[in-house]
Every structure is written in C-alpha cells, then in structure tokens.
Amino acid sequence: MYYKKRDNAEIEAELKKYAEEILGSFKNIRLVKSQATYLLWLDCTAMPLKGDALAEDLRNKTGLYLSSGSAYKGNGAGFLRMNIACPRSRLIDGLERLGRYSESCGS
C-alpha cells in the first residue's frame, strides 16, 4: 500500500481552508486574510465586547481560549487570534464553540 506522507504546511493549509469555510457563515466575526499558516486573525469589531474583555467572556462562556488582539498592540482590540495547529476534531470543536458564542451575542 502506498502512503504519501504529508508535510505540516499541507496539513495547515487544509485546516485553514476548512476554518475559512466555517468562519464565512458567522455574521459578526470575519477572517482577516493573512500570510500566517496556522494562526488566524479574526475581526470581531462587530461584537459588543472588545479586547481582553471579549477574550475573557469567550473563555468563561465556552471554555475556548483565544488570544486577544490587544496583546499585539496597534488596533488589535477588536480582534482575536486563533491557533489552528491542532487535530481537526479540536478545530471543529473550537469553531463550533466560537459560532455558538457569536450567535449568542447577536449583531
């Protein structure tokens, strides 16, 4: 049986594409196009909370740990950073939690 070993870049590209498809259905969270491979920047400026308060509320209500964009200075307060270098099942779980949180916040 022939087995093609996939490198990390190929796997990360697949996970990023999957995440982009899911995030496209969210009303108040948008994916920011970037060169990063396994890190996603999420534009959450349409959410009622910003910065650390948003990341903390998300963590408390869903158990999902995303980095607040405000930690990266500049105009990062309305953004979150999501690491997708994880098993696909964990990514799906995280995106589902993020989606439920997004819906609960309305827009």
Side-chain angles (χ1 to χ4, degrees), residues 6-69:
R6 296 170 40 178
D7 62 10
N8 286 343
E10 186 179 356
I11 294 168
E12 288 167 0
E14 180 182 311
L15 290 174
K16 188 172 183 179
K17 183 179 179 192
Y18 180 75
E20 288 172 351
E21 290 172 8
I22 299 297
L23 289 166
S25 68
F26 296 173
K27 293 180 182 173
N28 48 9
I29 299 176
R30 297 282 173 245
L31 180 64
V32 176
K33 298 290 183 185
S34 72
Q35 297 295 324
T37 54
Y38 64 91
L39 296 171
L40 301 180
W41 279 102
L42 306 174
D43 178 346
C44 303
T45 54
M47 299 289 279
L49 296 174
K50 306 287 184 259
D52 294 338
L54 173 60
E56 184 177 343
D57 192 55
L58 176 66
R59 186 176 313 119
N60 290 337
K61 291 182 177 172
T62 70
L64 186 61
Y65 282 70
L66 298 185
S67 300
S68 169

